[in-house]
Amino acid sequence: MNSPIGVFDSGIGGLTVVKHLASHLRDESIVYFGDTARVPYGSKSEETVKRFAFENTKFLLKHGVKLVVVACNTASAVALDDLQRSFDVPVVGMIEPGARAAVRLTRRRSVGVIGTLATIESSSYERAIHAEDASVKTTSRPCPLFVPLAEEGWVSHPVSEAVAREYLDEFKTANIDVLVLGCTHYPVLRNIIQRAIGEHVRLVDSGEEAVKEVTGILKREGLEAAGGGEVYRHFYVSDIPRKFREIGERFLGRPIDGLTLVPQSDVPWYERAEERRC
Ligand code: DGL
C-alpha cells in the first residue's frame, strides 16, 4: 500500500523517529507534522495535549496516511489509548516499545527514565516496564530544559553539558544500567547525556524501538509499500519553518525539501489552514 506513514511531534524531536523510519523503511513515504507553534507539550495539561494529539492526527489523516506514529512521548503517554480507539488506522506510540527494550537490556534490574514533566507525572513508563517485569526497579525524573536546548540545536554546548550533569546526577545512586530517553527530543542530545550518565549505562531510544513495531504492523497488516514506487518525505510545521529546516537538516543529515507552513487560526487550524510552501 503506497500511502504514506504519518508522524507527528510537538516540534523537531519527532525527526529522531523519522531518521530511523527512513533508514529502516526505504520504500515508505512519510508525512511529518511538527507542531512548532505549540511546542512544548511537556509542560501542558493532559487535556490540552490530548486535544493537540487529536488535531494532529486528523491533519495527518487528511493527507491520506495509512498509519500514525505518535513521535512524542508526552502525547503517547496521555492520548495513545484514545487515539487508538478513535481512528481506523493503526496508531503507534513511544512508551511500550521503549519500556520493552529497557526490560530486555537491564542486567541490574534497575532502569532510569527521563522525559517531560507530563510524561514522568503520567507514570506511563513505570506501568509499561512493570507490565513487562514487575521486579525491575524504576527511577525517573523530568528534564524539561532538554527540549528547548534540542530545539535550539545546542547539541555540544557547555550549557547543555551543565544541565545534563545537574539532571542526571541523582541516577548515580540508583545503580541503573539502562536509561530510557523518554522524549523524542532527547536523542538529539545523546552524546551529552551519555557523557553525563557514564559509559556503563545503555541509552534506549524509544523512537528507534517504535520503528521496529511499525515495521511489524506494516508486515502483519499487509500495509507495506510496493518497492519501486515514488518515495517522498513531506514536512509540515505550524510555525517558524526556517529554524526547523536549519536544525532539522543538521539532525537528519539530509536536506528537508518538502517543507510547508500550516498557519494556526482560532478555529481548529487543520480544517481551514492555507498551506504555504517555504
Ligand atoms: N518530543 C516530545 C516528547 O517526546 C515533547 C517535547 C515537548 O513538547 O515538551 O515528549
Side-chain angles (χ1 to χ4, degrees):
M1 188 183 193
N2 284 340
S3 318
I5 293 173
V7 182
F8 79 81
D9 177 48
S10 57
I12 210 162
L15 293 179
T16 63
V17 184
V18 170
K19 193 176 174 190
H20 295 302
L21 275 174
S23 72
H24 286 87
L25 299 167
R26 291 173 188 277
D27 291 329
E28 300 293 341
S29 293
I30 296 170
V31 175
Y32 181 86
F33 176 68
D35 197 2
T36 47
R38 304 190 289 194
V39 66
Y41 283 9
S43 51
K44 295 192 169 68
S45 70
E46 196 174 315
E47 193 190 349
T48 299
V49 175
K50 242 185 215 172
R51 176 161 58 83
F52 292 170
F54 269 80
E55 290 177 357
N56 300 346
T57 303
K58 286 180 186 173
F59 173 81
L60 291 172
L61 290 172
K62 212 176 78 172
H63 286 80
V65 303
K66 61 186 171 189
L67 178 148
V68 171
V69 181
V70 184
C72 173
N73 287 262
T74 308
S76 301
V78 304
L80 187 71
D81 293 346
D82 287 344
L83 294 173
Q84 286 175 332
R85 266 196 299 273
S86 306
F87 297 103
D88 289 337
V89 300
V91 183
V92 176
M94 299 291 113
I95 312 284
E96 275 80 13
R100 268 199 300 276
V103 170
R104 198 174 63 236
L105 291 171
T106 183
R107 296 285 164 265
R108 295 183 185 167
R109 321 309 291 155
S110 182
V111 168
V113 181
I114 53 175
T116 64
L117 191 62
T119 299
I120 298 303
E121 278 187 346
S122 74
S123 302
S124 325
Y125 269 105
E126 282 79 355
R127 276 199 303 280
I129 287 171
H130 290 145
E132 290 289 317
D133 184 341
S135 73
V136 172
K137 183 174 164 252
T138 58
T139 309
S140 19
R141 77 155 293 165
C143 301
L145 291 175
F146 281 163
V147 173
L149 291 170
E151 292 276 328
E152 198 59 34
W154 284 15
V155 297
S156 55
H157 192 287
V159 168
S160 311
E161 300 264 6
V163 169
R165 278 197 303 274
E166 177 76 28
Y167 277 152
L168 302 177
D169 205 40
E170 73 180 61
F171 287 102
K172 300 231 163 96
T173 50
N175 202 27
I176 61 164
D177 60 353
V178 171
L179 180 68
V180 180
L181 305 179
C183 171
T184 51
H185 280 69
Y186 296 179
V188 176
L189 301 170
R190 188 180 185 115
N191 293 342
I192 280 178
I193 293 171
Q194 186 77 71
R195 271 197 295 280
I197 195 75
E199 291 300 326
H200 64 289
V201 175
R202 309 246 330 234
L203 302 184
V204 168
D205 176 346
S206 296
E208 188 172 7
E209 299 302 321
V211 168
K212 294 178 192 160
E213 188 164 322
V214 171
T215 308
I217 293 174
L218 293 180
K219 271 210 178 79
R220 263 198 322 278
E221 314 239 336
L223 294 172
E224 289 168 298
E230 188 212 355
V231 178
Y232 58 87
R233 321 262 190 242
H234 288 164
F235 297 88
Y236 293 85
V237 286
S238 48
D239 205 0
I240 317 212
R242 184 183 50 75
K243 210 167 147 203
F244 179 89
R245 186 196 296 277
E246 195 184 295
I247 298 169
E249 286 184 347
R250 204 180 326 144
F251 178 68
L252 277 177
R254 60 166 75 186
I256 293 180
D257 298 322
L259 180 59
T260 302
L261 174 64
V262 188
Q264 270 196 306
S265 69
D266 50 356
V267 294
W269 54 267
Y270 56 85
E271 277 172 5
R272 58 163 229 189
E274 288 166 39
E275 292 169 4
R276 193 152 44 88
R277 283 286 281 220
C278 36

